[in-house]
Amino acid sequence: MSEYSLAESSVERATPKQAERQPRSALSDGPILRTLLSLAWPNIIANSAGTCVVIAETSYIGRLGIEALAAMALVFPLVILTMTMSGGAMGGGVASAIARALGAGDTERASTLAAHALLIALCFGATFMVGMLMFGPRLLQVLGGRGAVLEHAAAYLQVFFGGAILPWLMNAMAGILRGTGNRKLPSFMILNAAVLQIVLGGTLSLGLGLGMRGVAAGALLAFSASISVMGWYLLSGRARVRPKLYGLKISRAMFADILKVGAIACFSPLQSVLSIAIFTHMLATFGTAVLAGYGIGARLEFMMTTVAFSFGMASVPMVGMAVGAERIARARRIAWTAALVSFVTVGALSTVIAIFPQLWVDIFTQDPSARAAGAHYLRIAAPMYAFIGLAIALYFASQGAAKVIGPVLVQTVRLVFIAAGGSYLLAGAATETGFFLLAASSMVLLGVLTLASVMLTRWGPKPVVAELRPAVVAAELKGVPPSSR
């Protein structure tokens, strides 16, 4: 066996002390596939609700006029960036730190980490709030907002980011609960928030005539309801951890344990949004129909991403507890299982749509040109969504192991690949088919390189190699007793 194999297999055997302090549970000792699926299904339901919110909001915002619809498209990437950073990225870092502490049998540390997670959420939320309120309108102008479109977008931005602390707090609390293995409550609250967001947003925007401000206010009110329930659950002591708010001693080590995963992971959604922005900008040169067709395909990608998120997020506490208990081989098996399930599930669903694209395209438009472009894109790119599912699952598993640098750097490679490939195609006057192939190949690149990065990254501790001095070795060979050396 190689030195690497010996190192990783040796840490799988827990010491008697570790075995004594770790209670048996499905997360740490149960069948991997069964436990993964039991944790994933609440996520699938909750994350699917997010897709319903996007569709519902598009419907009633459209009743406000074409300018409001264009304004929502303008601010949507900023909202998605906020939600994915606070949820999938920093929320994953929180869940990873909590799970690793519990896996090591240190409930006291897990409770302290939970309190520091809430402080991080407050700081990041305040930063988003101040930054967007100060520079948001100018950013909207840079993105192309003009006239009535800019006014609608700025109205939404001022209200939503005026309460930016709320989504950060909600996702931090959800991350704490997920780190303990509690998937049902945060998933139920996200589902509840989605339903409230649809109802309140429609009521405030159309019923009370608040327009885009009403849509944003509905979202914030829905987040507040989820925060109230999860906050009560955590502080009442019903969870495995209870955030220590009174007499809390600020610790750099606690912040570092969360941020070494969460802060680095934040670059992943940032780069994903940049990739979409670059691709959208390039396809705009082919006209409205092609751009609309790509947008329809991108919505399917968003939906498939939520499925992959569900399996990936379910693996975070399982991997984290295994790593915390120094059971690296089990942690690896969890990662490969989540990756395979995500790859097969996303691939199967998206391939069906690739074969019958009108099942998806006809939901959004009846324009012949847009339908043709959307179907063309889906036939080329949709089967490759499986590789996005693979990459996302391994990205979250890496969060659980606190080894997320590799998957984040792979996102950087994909971003550069899209920018360079798109520039080459534009210079060569390529057709939209060339750009669709570029999108599909970037997905394959993302999945394959993420797989390679996880395989090459050591999750266990470095092997300890004893260094013996030559004189000691010679004495051992001659049989000189230790007392005479």
Side-chain angles (χ1 to χ4, degrees), residues 239-307:
R240 291 182 66 181
V241 299
R242 183 175 183 176
K244 286 190 170 184
L245 300 180
Y246 299 102
L248 174 67
K249 294 182 179 180
I250 303 299
S251 169
R252 291 184 179 180
M254 297 295 171
F255 284 130
D257 199 10
I258 297 172
L259 294 175
K260 71 179 180 181
V261 175
I264 297 174
C266 282
F267 286 97
S268 182
L270 176 61
Q271 292 176 123
S272 295
V273 170
L274 287 175
S275 297
I276 294 173
I278 291 172
F279 212 83
T280 302
H281 175 72
M282 292 186 295
L283 284 178
T285 60
F286 291 93
T288 304
V290 172
L291 187 58
Y294 167 71
I296 291 170
R299 290 183 184 184
L300 178 64
E301 180 181 338
F302 172 75
M303 182 176 176
M304 292 297 102
T305 296
T306 61
V307 175

Side-chain angles (χ1 to χ4, degrees), residues 186-255:
S187 296
F188 175 77
M189 295 317 303
I190 290 175
L191 176 62
N192 179 70
V195 174
L196 284 177
Q197 189 173 343
I198 293 172
V199 174
L200 293 174
T203 301
L204 294 175
S205 62
L206 297 177
L208 299 182
L210 297 180
M212 294 295 285
R213 288 186 173 86
V215 178
L220 295 180
L221 289 173
F223 298 158
S224 299
S226 295
I227 290 171
S228 299
V229 175
M230 288 190 290
W232 166 80
Y233 188 84
L234 285 168
L235 297 177
S236 66
R238 287 171 170 79
R240 291 182 66 181
V241 299
R242 183 175 183 176
K244 286 190 170 184
L245 300 180
Y246 299 102
L248 174 67
K249 294 182 179 180
I250 303 299
S251 169
R252 291 184 179 180
M254 297 295 171
F255 284 130

Side-chain angles (χ1 to χ4, degrees), residues 60-80:
Y60 57 69
I61 289 174
R63 298 184 183 182
L64 297 175
I66 190 66
E67 292 86 359
L69 199 58
M72 192 63 204
L74 201 62
V75 300
F76 185 69
L78 302 178
V79 175
I80 288 297

Side-chain angles (χ1 to χ4, degrees), residues 340-363:
L340 180 60
V341 171
S342 181
F343 181 85
V344 172
T345 304
V346 173
L349 294 173
S350 56
T351 299
V352 170
I353 299 298
I355 298 173
F356 306 103
Q358 300 309 325
L359 293 174
W360 180 256
V361 174
D362 289 350
I363 297 175

Side-chain angles (χ1 to χ4, degrees), residues 32 90 460:
I32 291 175
M90 192 62 71

